[in-house]
Amino acid sequence: MQDTVICVVGLGYIGLPTAAMFASRHKYVTGIDIDQNVVDKINLGEIHIVEPGLASIVGNAVSKGYLRAAVTPQSADVFFIAVPTPFLLDEAQIDIPQPDLRYIESAAKAIAKVLKKGDIVILESTSPVGTTEKLAGWLSQERADLTFPQTHNEESDIRIAYCPERVLPGHIMRELVENDRIVGGLTNRCSKAAIEVYKTFVRGECVVTNARTAEMAKLTENASRDVSIAFANELSIICDELDIDVWELITLCNRHPRVNILQPGPGVGGHCIAVDPWFIVSQSPIDAKLIKQARSINDQKPLWVIEKVKLAIANILLADPLKSSSDITIACYGLSFKPNIDDLRESPAVIIAKKIIAMHSNTTLLVEPNIVKLPLDLKGGLLSNIDIALSKADIHLLLVDHSEFSNRRPSSGIVIDTRGIWSA
Ligand code: SAJ
């Protein structure tokens, strides 16, 4: 392992921290990304994503020559694939999004060009069951001169393993080191080789299984969280009908030693929990009933929130017939997909804010302490500070439980609290 050279394909939220971590342990690392701007930025020692602690590690590693970026893979001893696996809406099965493996396939083809006997290829991208076997197939198609585990078992020239990333955005640098890793080699020697690599910086336990179980483990972890959140979201709708404070209810129930209900919200966002369960549903469309239903409950929660806003507008107009809807100011508190981050992608809060901007005739105030500029698709709204929103709005819609909001409750107007920090 002393002089092992590492190549990480995909420099996003997982690939870049992984590359930086190896480089911080004095491994020579090349990070690969198809985006030239990302490559240029990293080669300047800068980063293109927000993740606490990452910038200084990248800056240091680049200045000391341990980390560099490029657009095409370079020869190495270990290759990590950490590219996105989004889903595609298939016309034939429009209700079940299908995983899109094209980024993994093109990463495999690019790596294949520089593979040599003895190399290890580790897939970290969240993937449907069977993807590691497909990866092995794509590599062997490109390199008939090398042998692979699917045909030569322990004697193969190349070792291949699936090792899912399981780190939480915002805590990635700590969790990369501390979390246990699931290591699913195509053979035992593949698993052993992967563990040796991870032991460079991982202090958690590396637990061995086969590649298919490792793939399913990652999907199961996120589907389990999605199902639990769907239960909380469904409860919140039932409790609203029954005039019960759902957060008080959950706190009470969680005093039971074997009950642990998660928190309801305006929907489920981010790039993992709202995506990965579909990989299970797409492979088992008949049997994955609960997982599919949970996705649907969580996806519909933003629509329920919008109905609440419409009802609030109607109630104000009913109470004062001289008012028109353009006299009503709505403030949305929080836009990111979860608290205390600036990441607005796949955020239910953004979906809700966009709908309100489109349907409401007065300017919507958007309070998001973690950004300085609104993205283009929210331009119809006005980025506002919390004091202005609290004093001006007639409807206060709390969408994200940022710490800035917890002790600033509105003193007038209608409050719609999707996170339960103002309800108590
Ligand atoms: N959410 C709720 N109620 C809760 C918990 C979360 O509504 O009680 C919502 C959040 O507001 C957010 C969404 O769920 O919109 C997802 O947030 P999260 O904090 O649950 O998860 P992510 O997407 O940031 O990270 C998850 C993690 N998976 C699990 O906890 C099982 C992380 O460990 C994974 O590495 C990551 O997905 C990933 O990359 O797959």
Side-chain angles (χ1 to χ4, degrees):
M1 276 305 299
Q2 195 64 30
D3 303 316
T4 306
V5 175
I6 309 242
C7 178
V8 179
V9 184
L11 294 176
Y13 277 86
I14 300 304
L16 183 57
T18 303
M21 204 52 103
F22 279 112
S24 75
R25 303 299 197 267
H26 295 175
K27 300 289 170 214
Y28 287 99
V29 183
T30 312
I32 310 300
D33 205 284
I34 49 173
D35 186 336
Q36 185 69 52
N37 294 325
V38 168
V39 167
D40 292 342
K41 199 156 195 170
I42 291 166
N43 283 332
L44 289 172
E46 295 167 12
I47 61 172
H48 62 292
I49 54 177
V50 178
E51 181 58 39
L54 178 62
S56 62
I57 299 181
V58 169
N60 251 324
V62 171
S63 71
K64 289 185 180 150
Y66 287 109
L67 176 63
R68 56 184 284 275
V71 284
T72 49
Q74 323 277 304
S75 173
D77 306 301
V78 186
F79 293 87
F80 285 90
I81 300 178
V83 295
T85 39
F87 55 55
L88 284 171
L89 290 176
D90 180 343
E91 301 223 331
Q93 270 188 307
I94 198 74
D95 64 325
I96 303 178
Q98 302 296 311
D100 177 2
L101 302 183
R102 282 176 297 183
Y103 293 106
I104 297 183
E105 186 174 357
S106 65
K109 288 185 172 159
I111 285 174
K113 293 191 174 73
V114 292
L115 267 189
K116 60 181 185 328
K117 188 173 173 165
D119 283 354
I120 310 167
V121 180
I122 299 175
L123 178 61
E124 288 204 356
S125 310
T126 302
S127 303
V129 173
T131 307
T132 313
E133 290 154 8
K134 281 194 176 136
L135 166 67
W138 289 321
L139 291 172
S140 75
Q141 266 167 28
E142 299 292 311
R143 293 296 301 270
D145 56 319
L146 292 169
T147 60
F148 292 84
Q150 66 272 33
T151 49
H152 289 68
N153 295 310
E154 301 296 29
E155 306 312 317
S156 63
D157 292 335
I158 306 297
R159 314 245 168 263
I160 300 174
Y162 181 71
C163 306
E165 62 80 13
R166 301 148 90 204
V167 286
L168 195 68
H171 302 268
I172 292 180
M173 305 318 285
R174 178 178 55 77
E175 289 207 353
L176 271 178
V177 175
E178 291 178 3
N179 287 5
D180 292 345
R181 300 277 329 197
I182 296 176
V183 178
L186 285 184
T187 68
N188 277 336
R189 278 180 74 183
C190 294
S191 297
K192 276 194 188 137
I195 290 174
E196 208 188 322
V197 177
Y198 280 114
K199 280 296 173 193
T200 308
F201 64 79
V202 172
R203 287 208 302 266
E205 198 180 329
C206 293
V207 187
V208 174
T209 181
N210 58 45
R212 293 175 77 82
T213 309
E215 289 160 345
M216 189 64 178
K218 167 71 191 191
L219 304 179
T220 302
E221 288 162 6
N222 282 353
S224 150
R225 195 153 168 87
D226 198 41
V227 170
S228 302
I229 299 169
F231 180 70
N233 278 335
E234 185 166 285
L235 266 185
S236 72
I237 294 172
I238 295 169
C239 284
D240 187 68
E241 277 165 18
L242 300 179
D243 199 19
I244 290 170
D245 180 331
V246 69
W247 288 280
E248 184 194 0
L249 174 81
I250 290 173
T251 309
L252 293 173
C253 294
N254 283 351
R255 283 173 170 258
H256 186 290
R258 286 173 295 285
V259 173
N260 186 15
I261 303 168
L262 292 183
Q263 298 299 307
V268 168
H271 339 291
C272 312
I273 307 250
V275 175
D276 302 354
W278 286 121
F279 291 8
I280 301 179
V281 179
S282 72
Q283 285 187 312
S284 304
I286 307 288
D287 297 317
K289 295 186 187 69
L290 178 64
I291 297 171
K292 186 175 178 205
Q293 186 61 25
R295 270 295 61 248
S296 154
I297 290 169
N298 287 334
D299 275 351
Q300 282 168 27
K301 190 72 193 286
L303 306 179
W304 183 84
V305 175
I306 289 158
E307 289 307 311
K308 285 270 150 208
V309 174
K310 285 184 185 163
L311 190 66
I313 296 172
N315 283 339
I316 294 175
L317 296 179
L318 199 67
D320 184 352
L322 293 177
K323 266 195 175 162
S324 77
S325 86
S326 57
D327 298 320
I328 299 173
T329 300
I330 303 174
C332 296
Y333 298 82
L335 294 171
S336 57
F337 87 84
K338 63 182 198 174
N340 306 321
I341 59 166
D342 67 345
D343 192 343
L344 307 193
R345 293 171 303 159
E346 272 81 55
S347 169
V350 169
I351 294 174
I352 292 165
K354 270 204 271 191
K355 282 254 160 66
I356 292 172
I357 290 166
M359 78 180 190
H360 189 52
S361 43
N362 197 0
T363 305
T364 302
L365 305 180
L366 304 174
V367 185
E368 178 44 81
N370 300 298
I371 61 170
V372 288
K373 205 173 145 210
L374 284 176
L376 277 182
D377 54 352
L378 287 173
K379 277 286 183 231
L382 183 68
L383 190 61
S384 164
N385 76 34
I386 186 164
D387 296 309
I388 292 175
L390 287 174
S391 67
K392 279 200 167 167
D394 305 289
I395 300 174
H396 303 273
L397 175 58
L398 186 108
L399 295 170
V400 187
D401 43 341
H402 287 315
S403 46
E404 287 88 346
F405 301 154
S406 54
N407 51 4
R408 303 294 312 277
R409 200 182 190 285
S411 52
S412 63
I414 296 179
V415 173
I416 304 171
D417 178 1
T418 69
R419 292 286 182 181
I421 60 171
W422 287 343
S423 310

